[in-house]
Amino acid sequence: MFEFEIVKKCKVTGARAGVLHTPHGDIKTPVYMPVGTRASVKALTPEQVDRTGAQILLANTYHLYLRPGENLIKQAGGLHSFMHWNKPILTDSGGFQVFSLGDLRKITEEGVWFRSHIDGSTHLFTPEKVMQIEKDLGADIIMAFDECAAHDKPYEYVKASMERTMRWAERCIQAKTREDQALFGIVQGGMFADLRRQSAKAINEMGFPGHAIGGLSVGEEKKVMYEMLEITTPLLDEHKPRYLMGVGSPDCLIEGTARGVDMFDCVLQSRTARMGTALTSRGKMNIRNAKYAADFSPIDPKCDCYACRNFTRAYVRHLVSVGEILGATLLTIHNIHFSVSLMEQMREAILQGDYPAFRKEKMEQMGYGCIDIGHDYALS
């Protein structure tokens, strides 16, 4: 049911255009996945999300386990039926959320004991329990249970954490039962090159149909994140999709793709929209600024989303300024459409053999500077 085919690869960078086949449809890569944490992309209906061009959504295991519970979603026929989304869905394992609880959780070899951030009740996530939850949620792509160590943790802590994550990955493989779900293993190892290599090799040898790269964009400089990608992606089977977890700013989408990543997700698109920020072809725009009060041009003249085709900066600024929900809706539509469209442009550039020039031009237009790709990696 799951097959990944590479259609074209860039001869200069690691960028590639592919197709991932799933039970709920094909996904053209590279792809940005909007985040529907609680089975909903905030401020949008599923139809509105669909019209942005989104091919796949991400939902969160931790939050859905706490409310409304995987049993209720199973009774509803799974996430696709529950949230009325007929395209592919990916669920993360909840690992990032559990480990961000700090003092509210305790890690053991068995799993993680944690207290709910909602009511303080105590719960245990084990690899087996997470596989059961994700099975009941029914997403097409599911994630193995892992620990996302903070970027500033010492070497010995990260080493022990990574090795435990590898053991948990093996337990996830044993516990997975549904053939219509693809289980991705997750590479960890913090900001340590040798640990990243060790983890990537171990995950690659386990036979997962796809690989995720976790523990990045957690506070480190972007240059460091790209260095870790350059270490990691060449060690992962090139015939399987690579997913960089929790990363989705426009510059990271472009630079991550240049380093061999196929799939991205991020809450930035919807979260910044609710704060009045638009992602545009010329960089970020704070629509709250007074200079847009009488600006009757579209949010982004180069964008053809519903918001840009029908409304002005002045109107959207008014909505945001007075707290109207429609302001968040229009900016979320725009930001997701912008990101989806950017991925489509990247894919076309790869297919046409123009990705290096496209990368340079887009990064300059948006006010970013390209970060050099490691020489050895570029030639690998």
Side-chain angles (χ1 to χ4, degrees):
M1 295 183 183
F2 295 90
E3 181 182 352
F4 181 65
E5 54 181 311
I6 298 174
V7 181
K8 184 75 174 289
K9 294 196 293 186
C10 175
K11 295 181 179 179
V12 179
T13 70
R16 67 250 195 101
V19 181
L20 175 58
H21 304 282
T22 81
H24 283 88
D26 294 345
I27 302 166
K28 294 181 179 179
T29 63
V31 63
Y32 161 72
M33 301 180 286
V35 177
T37 302
R38 298 177 177 88
S40 170
V41 177
K42 284 183 171 59
L44 302 189
T45 67
E47 182 179 15
Q48 288 172 321
V49 178
D50 185 48
R51 289 183 178 181
T52 67
Q55 302 181 71
I56 174 175
L57 296 184
L58 179 144
N60 181 264
T61 293
Y62 168 83
H63 288 287
L64 293 174
Y65 161 77
L66 291 177
R67 293 184 299 191
E70 74 277 14
N71 289 331
L72 186 144
I73 293 176
K74 181 181 180 181
Q75 292 174 32
L79 271 177
H80 291 91
S81 176
F82 188 58
M83 64 187 293
H84 193 61
W85 178 258
N86 296 321
K87 292 182 178 181
I89 297 176
L90 180 151
T91 47
D92 62 17
S93 68
F96 178 82
Q97 286 70 32
V98 168
F99 291 103
S100 66
L101 292 173
D103 294 338
L104 296 177
R105 51 94 172 132
K106 179 181 179 181
I107 307 168
T108 68
E109 184 64 27
E110 180 184 14
V112 182
W113 288 96
F114 65 94
R115 282 188 287 135
S116 166
H117 71 284
I118 300 169
D119 59 11
S121 57
T122 301
H123 305 266
L124 172 64
F125 265 13
T126 66
E128 293 78 14
K129 176 65 175 179
V130 168
M131 289 298 95
Q132 174 259 306
I133 297 170
E134 293 195 84
K135 171 179 72 73
D136 291 343
L137 294 177
D140 302 87
I141 301 172
I142 61 177
M143 295 293 116
F145 190 48
D146 67 321
E147 177 183 358
C148 179
H151 76 284
D152 55 356
K153 288 290 186 181
Y155 181 89
E156 290 305 322
Y157 180 96
V158 176
K159 182 175 187 293
S161 168
M162 181 275 293
E163 291 174 344
R164 183 169 51 243
T165 291
M166 298 305 100
R167 295 191 293 273
W168 285 355
E170 292 176 339
R171 287 167 59 186
C172 286
I173 292 174
Q174 295 301 317
K176 176 184 175 292
T177 59
R178 287 183 60 161
E179 294 185 358
D180 61 344
Q181 291 183 312
L183 172 63
F184 282 25
I186 303 177
V187 177
Q188 290 289 352
M191 308 304 143
F192 301 101
D194 62 325
L195 298 183
R196 283 282 167 184
R197 291 190 183 98
Q198 183 180 337
S199 179
K201 290 177 181 178
I203 286 292
N204 197 58
E205 291 172 358
M206 291 184 194
F208 290 103
H211 303 117
I213 303 165
L216 295 179
S217 191
V218 291
E220 79 280 7
E221 294 182 2
K222 288 184 178 180
K223 184 176 184 295
V224 175
M225 178 178 73
Y226 297 145
E227 289 173 355
M228 293 301 103
L229 281 180
E230 291 171 16
I231 289 167
T232 303
T233 53
L235 298 176
L236 300 174
D237 190 335
E238 68 171 339
H239 300 294
K240 296 178 181 180
R242 302 164 181 157
Y243 163 33
L244 179 56
M245 305 181 75
V247 176
S249 63
D251 57 324
C252 290
L253 295 176
I254 294 171
E255 291 293 305
T257 296
R259 290 163 174 82
V261 175
D262 307 295
M263 305 169 67
F264 304 81
D265 83 278
C266 196
V267 299
L268 176 143
Q269 281 70 5
S270 54
R271 181 173 293 169
T272 58
R274 298 193 301 277
M275 298 168 61
T277 298
L279 306 177
T280 79
S281 56
R282 295 294 176 179
K284 292 182 181 179
M285 170 192 295
N286 183 352
I287 203 72
R288 294 178 181 271
N289 286 347
K291 63 181 179 180
Y292 300 122
D295 187 336
F296 302 111
S297 59
I299 299 170
D300 186 345
K302 294 187 177 181
C303 179
D304 64 350
C305 75
Y306 172 78
C308 289
R309 284 187 285 108
N310 294 282
F311 304 99
T312 66
R313 295 173 179 176
Y315 179 64
V316 177
R317 179 185 182 276
H318 157 69
L319 295 174
V320 172
S321 298
V322 298
E324 284 289 342
I325 295 173
L326 182 57
T329 295
L330 293 178
L331 284 175
T332 303
I333 288 172
H334 168 76
N335 284 351
I336 292 178
H337 177 90
F338 173 84
S339 301
V340 169
S341 177
L342 177 62
M343 304 308 288
E344 291 173 348
Q345 294 171 47
M346 290 161 59
R347 177 183 170 83
E348 185 60 27
I350 297 169
L351 293 175
Q352 297 300 322
D354 297 328
Y355 191 75
F358 172 89
R359 172 184 172 226
K360 183 176 184 296
E361 178 183 0
K362 284 294 181 181
M363 291 289 279
E364 289 177 353
Q365 286 178 355
M366 290 187 286
Y368 302 110
C370 287
I371 297 180
D372 290 342
I373 298 175
H375 180 67
D376 293 340
Y377 172 81
L379 295 178
S380 65

